[in-house]
Amino acid sequence: MKKKMVCLDVDGTIVDFDGHMYPEVRDEIINVMEAGHHVLIATGRSYHATLPIIRDIGLHSGYSVCSNGGVSLRLDPELDEGFEVIARSTFDPASVLESFRRRIPTARFAIEDEHGNYLSTERFQDFSFGVQATGVSFEELQETTAVRLVVFSHGASTREFASAIESLGLQGITYSVGYNAWLDVAGAGVSKASGLEALRRILHVDPEDTVAIGDGFNDVEMLEWAGRGVAMGQAPQEVKAVADEITGTVREGGLATVLRTLLRSPADQRS
């Protein structure tokens, strides 16, 4: 079989929304790795929160993308910590933060800085940070060089939040709205797809041999980029619309279903 580059979202794809990984999903990821394909994690989580997933599935070598493309890792068991950060994309969040604060007064903010630390306002904490966020003033946050900016508001619906963001007309950033009033912001042109494309070139994989599976708005660019983009069954319609195919939901083991097709010969797949 021709070696594929298999790019996997985490939340809603590898694990369910309680953080549980089903045994059949883990087994099929391992089978795909043992078959010789490149398996990469591609997630909005920080690398701190991604490493437990990487270790859980036994991914000891290769590459992964974290922070929605803002951070890329090289995995190598011979490294002291088993990994190293090989790329970081940063931006100045000052004007973006000021615009958000004026438009959405109820918003809380957190930033992943260039060293992998998290700084936040109003004791804002999330599992995707992977580390305890340090509380700082809004002014200190504005002075921080950012890899990832997270904006969250209890006071708005997802639709209202998205409308508010669009009304700001912000330039020089990339953003994606989550399932609730949650926004991930990165530098201009930075996405899971941009991080994966750089790694594709390192791995010398042809574009048509890339496979990506995900379920969120932050997966849209990745699904469009991949030679075979697969949306999970519970993905919003806008995400499904850009995918080449749709699999089962995360609770149905939809990822395992896709991975099994990578273990069949072309003749088997045509039959």
Side-chain angles (χ1 to χ4, degrees):
M1 286 185 292
K2 197 169 183 182
K3 187 173 288 192
K4 303 283 187 181
M5 178 178 172
V6 185
C7 311
L8 309 178
D9 171 51
V10 174
D11 298 290
T13 302
I14 295 178
V15 302
D16 67 18
F17 297 104
D18 295 320
H20 175 67
M21 187 189 310
Y22 296 98
E24 65 171 333
V25 169
R26 181 187 288 103
D27 291 345
E28 295 303 340
I29 294 174
I30 292 171
N31 288 339
V32 167
M33 290 192 293
E34 291 181 345
H37 298 300
H38 302 289
V39 173
L40 295 83
I41 302 300
T43 179
R45 294 186 181 201
S46 74
Y47 73 83
H48 302 286
T50 305
L51 287 169
I53 298 293
I54 287 173
R55 290 162 181 157
D56 193 9
I57 62 177
L59 186 59
H60 302 299
S61 60
Y63 299 88
S64 284
V65 168
C66 312
S67 302
N68 288 317
V71 174
S72 294
L73 304 180
R74 183 177 73 89
L75 311 173
D76 185 337
E78 295 189 2
L79 294 170
D80 289 342
E81 296 182 279
F83 75 96
E84 63 178 343
V85 174
I86 59 171
R88 269 196 179 97
S89 298
T90 62
F91 66 103
D92 181 353
S95 61
V96 179
L97 282 164
E98 188 59 45
S99 295
F100 281 136
R101 186 166 70 164
R102 287 198 308 266
R103 184 65 176 80
I104 312 171
T106 60
R108 293 185 291 171
F109 306 96
I111 279 180
E112 178 183 341
D113 71 13
E114 58 190 328
H115 306 292
N117 304 309
Y118 268 82
L119 310 176
S120 70
T121 61
E122 300 183 37
R123 299 181 180 178
F124 182 22
Q125 182 67 41
D126 186 73
F127 75 91
S128 71
F129 301 171
V131 292
Q132 185 67 37
T134 301
V136 297
S137 69
F138 184 82
E139 290 70 28
E140 287 176 283
L141 216 58
Q142 286 184 298
E143 296 171 358
T144 303
T145 298
V147 169
R148 175 194 185 200
L149 166 63
V150 177
V151 187
F152 177 69
S153 174
H154 280 298
S157 68
T158 303
R159 188 175 298 278
E160 290 168 337
F161 200 57
S163 176
I165 300 309
E166 290 176 4
S167 73
L168 292 173
L170 298 170
Q171 303 295 317
I173 61 167
T174 301
Y175 69 86
S176 60
V177 178
Y179 280 113
N180 47 27
W182 176 284
L183 186 80
D184 264 308
V185 180
V190 176
S191 67
K192 292 183 182 183
S194 66
L196 291 169
E197 174 60 17
L199 296 179
R200 182 191 69 79
R201 295 172 183 272
I202 291 174
L203 293 170
H204 303 291
V205 173
D206 292 333
E208 61 268 27
D209 291 319
T210 56
V211 181
I213 305 101
D215 76 311
F217 290 109
N218 62 337
D219 294 314
V220 166
E221 294 90 347
M222 177 176 76
L223 298 182
E224 292 177 322
W225 162 85
R228 179 186 178 189
V230 185
M232 298 293 290
Q234 80 280 353
Q237 190 55 46
E238 296 91 332
V239 178
K240 291 179 178 177
V242 305
D244 299 303
E245 60 190 87
I246 301 166
T247 187
T249 67
V250 64
R251 296 191 186 280
E252 294 168 341
L255 175 57
T257 300
V258 177
L259 295 179
R260 289 188 193 105
T261 68
L262 302 178
L263 303 172
R264 305 203 309 256
S265 69
D268 290 337
Q269 293 184 40
R270 288 193 296 269
S271 61

